[in-house]
Amino acid sequence: MLIGFVTLYLLASISVGLYAATRVHTAKDFAVAGRSLPLPVVTATVFATWFGAETVLGVSATFVRDGLGGVVADPFGASMCLILAGLFFAPRLYRMGLLTIGDYYRVRYNRTVEVVTSIAIVISYLGWVAAQIKALGLVFNIVTGGAISNEWGMVLGAAIVLTYTTFGGMFAVAFLDFLQMMVVMCGLLFIAWFISGLTGGVGAVVAHASEAGKLQFFPSGGGYHAWVPFIGAWLTMMLGSIPQQDVFQRITSAKNEKTAVRGSVLGGSIYFAFAFVPMFLAYAATMVDPAKFGGLVETDSQLVLPTLILTHTPVFAQVIFFGALLSAIMSCSSATLLAPSVAFSENIVRGFYPKMSDRQFLLVMRFSLIGFALIVLFVALNSKLTIFQMVESAYKVTLVTAFVPLAFGLYWQRATTQGAYFAMGAGLGVWLTAEIFIQSEVWPAQILGFVAAIAGMIVGSLIPQKIRHAPMPHHNAEGAGHQAQS
């Protein structure tokens, strides 16, 4: 019954994607759903941006092992990213009518800044999307009782997500996000209610976690040796995730500016609240069978939640859980697979072939999607990191290269192209040097790079200018580059 349901669910997802393809006529339709999405759909797709494998399997496992202090990056940093993006970045970026976040760097600075930041953004998605593919492999392996290996599960999962995303683009992502958000929320709440009955209720689980010290959020001691890594993990996810194409796509897919702002803030707030449900479930498992799940926490904590469902719930509850889990992973992976493919096509390829027709550009985006999926699958198959570690590491490169030029460009009038060069060079150089040669457990390399990027922007913008502002607009789906510059 469980395998049959999963099969039907996957076929239904592909069908929705193929239906969405009938609405894709232009590159704008494929990339930003024609800038037509209403508030409920924008909220759902913002929520689905983050609620994926790392939340259900990675964050919950990390919480059981390390407590709230261990999940400062996600959901605390991740949800704040979406809220800050909605409040401070969505209004200004939406008005510019751009197709990608990379277009902003070209319009505000020049083509070189666009290329460098776009490459950094695309690279950052490797770990994030690979984590989703890795989780799909894990789910297929568990659901089939080992009949499908983790590796073949990754291949199958990647093929399914790639199919409906390639045909339907952002319309497919938005439609499925809305439907899958309902499945995720209803399914996990039902499972939480069911599991709480095995532990004596929600209050008993919370009290047990509190007594075990799992609800301690801020470092209780250690001085700056504890606080600096704590703040570093928070800032990496909170700020490094803002200059991301998937976040930008949700902002610009909204039907108007007000919807973009509200959808981002609502989606981020719902995500923060709902991320505690998997954490509750995973910790409850250690109360249901302390010996069994305590051992899993030490060996492979990502299996705690799936094992709990398979061994302590009836089949109908298993169907609901794995349906919700697949919904979360697939909605997140499709969105994060589409985003870097669009960014690469618009900000790298199109710069070399500015006279491409809209039909040719749409074809380039679809082929880029296939190419990126193959690369991500290779990374997922060969990575030894956990799902949570892959996601947590994804945004270091964007924090040190892309965030400072974006934020200073929007809010500091004296920010210059030379300042952006200095910021990118200093941020990237210090980060890589610290990662390779210092490897400090106290001072995270990406935070040193972030501070260097800020200093580089300020110094580079205030000293005599040798590099002039020379934007190189090219036509995109809305002619946005010309509009924004004018």
Side-chain angles (χ1 to χ4, degrees), residues 117-143:
T117 53
S118 296
I119 291 174
I121 289 168
V122 170
I123 290 174
S124 72
Y125 278 98
L126 290 175
W128 179 274
V129 188
Q132 313 308 314
I133 301 302
K134 194 169 187 176
L136 283 173
L138 178 65
V139 171
F140 287 137
N141 176 260
I142 292 173
V143 168

Side-chain angles (χ1 to χ4, degrees), residues 404-430:
V404 170
L406 173 65
F408 276 74
L410 287 173
Y411 284 99
W412 192 38
Q413 292 184 352
R414 299 186 66 179
T416 66
T417 301
Q418 179 172 283
Y421 276 42
F422 275 49
M424 294 186 302
L428 193 60
V430 170

Side-chain angles (χ1 to χ4, degrees), residues 167-307:
F167 283 102
M170 190 60 195
F171 270 123
V173 171
F175 288 170
L176 282 169
D177 281 354
F178 184 73
L179 296 174
Q180 289 168 337
M181 180 183 175
M182 299 299 105
V183 175
V184 167
M185 297 186 75
C186 295
L188 287 183
L189 285 174
F190 172 78
I191 294 297
W193 170 80
F194 186 90
I195 294 298
S196 67
L198 303 178
T199 59
V202 175
V205 176
V206 174
H208 193 282
S210 179
E211 291 174 5
K214 299 298 182 181
L215 301 187
Q216 174 70 36
F217 179 61
F218 295 106
S220 57
Y224 74 91
H225 292 275
W227 277 95
V228 172
F230 177 83
I231 295 173
W234 198 341
L235 286 180
T236 300
M237 200 74 159
M238 181 170 65
L239 302 183
S241 305
I242 290 178
Q244 288 292 333
Q245 177 60 20
D246 59 320
V247 175
F248 179 84
Q249 273 180 277
R250 275 131 194 82
I251 291 171
T252 51
S253 295
K255 65 180 181 179
N256 54 47
E257 181 183 323
K258 184 179 293 185
T259 300
V261 174
R262 291 177 176 176
S264 186
V265 173
L266 280 174
S269 301
I270 295 172
Y271 171 75
F272 176 75
F274 211 75
F276 286 91
V277 177
M279 285 190 264
F280 167 82
L281 289 171
Y283 192 81
T286 63
M287 296 174 61
V288 172
D289 191 339
K292 180 177 184 177
F293 292 106
L296 271 180
V297 169
E298 298 300 324
T299 56
D300 192 350
S301 55
Q302 294 174 156
L303 292 176
V304 168
L305 197 46
T307 304

